[in-house]
Amino acid sequence: MHSRNPTLIPAEVAVPVGNAAVVACVLGVLMGGCLTLNGASLAAWLDGAKLSLAVPLQTYFVFVCLFHMLEFYITAHYNPTRLYDDSFLLQNGSEYLLAHGVGIAEHLIELYFWPQMKQYANIALAGIVLVVAGQTMRTLAMVHSGSNFSHKVAIKKRADHELVRSGVYRYVYCRV
């Protein structure tokens, strides 16, 4: 039998780790629930039922959860010295919450007054492709910048900071 020698998590780290675990759990449950509901809706649609009008909103929540989980995960994996319990980027201020609220309200208003607007599969597919492309570009940018990336806006250049010109940045940097 293999015995483990447990190590105590230092007190100054325990609360942030616990906070991160709770946030990850909530995001995972919300994303998993929406994926499950979407899967059930798509299965019913393939059997001839009408596609649920909830699918677009559920898909939105899947992508929002994925974005926030990737922000934390990519930072943890590629730049752990800049990892904080708020690296999920959920504390982006009232403007961020207002933007999501307005977007959801717009969706619900359109759904109520003009439900036919939610039936254009080609537009929905184009939106999904754009979201996936944008998220892929963001994630690659974080990966390629490595330790040079931080969610905190720097006012002064750190001694160890370098201008990244490789990866996705080789296509976008300015030659000054």
Side-chain angles (χ1 to χ4, degrees), residues 64 67-68 88-101:
V64 168
F67 167 78
H68 289 290
F88 288 100
L89 293 189
L90 290 169
Q91 297 90 357
N92 278 333
S94 57
E95 296 87 358
Y96 180 74
L97 295 175
L98 181 64
H100 282 290

Side-chain angles (χ1 to χ4, degrees), residues 33-147:
C34 289
L35 280 170
T36 301
L37 291 171
N38 273 357
S41 294
L42 291 174
W45 178 68
L46 290 173
D47 283 341
K50 195 171 184 179
L51 190 60
S52 168
L53 292 176
V55 168
L57 189 57
Q58 292 162 183
T59 303
Y60 167 79
F61 282 120
V62 166
F63 283 121
V64 168
C65 291
L66 181 64
F67 167 78
H68 289 290
M69 291 192 317
L70 282 172
E71 288 299 304
F72 189 89
Y73 174 76
I74 297 298
T75 302
H77 193 268
Y78 292 95
N79 194 5
T81 62
R82 304 277 188 277
L83 182 68
Y84 304 96
D85 61 337
D86 67 347
S87 291
F88 288 100
L89 293 189
L90 290 169
Q91 297 90 357
N92 278 333
S94 57
E95 296 87 358
Y96 180 74
L97 295 175
L98 181 64
H100 282 290
V102 168
I104 292 168
E106 176 192 13
H107 171 79
L108 295 174
I109 289 167
E110 287 175 357
L111 188 61
Y112 183 79
F113 289 106
W114 306 282
Q116 67 277 8
M117 288 180 66
K118 303 299 179 192
Q119 298 297 315
Y120 298 109
N122 291 340
I123 293 174
L125 186 59
I128 289 171
V129 167
L130 289 172
V131 169
V132 169
Q135 183 62 59
T136 300
M137 182 63 79
R138 166 107 176 140
T139 301
L140 288 173
M142 290 174 68
V143 167
H144 291 145
S145 61
S147 65

Side-chain angles (χ1 to χ4, degrees), residues 141-157:
M142 290 174 68
V143 167
H144 291 145
S145 61
S147 65
N148 294 295
F149 178 83
S150 175
H151 288 122
K152 309 275 186 207
V153 176
I155 297 171
K156 293 183 179 180
K157 182 183 179 292

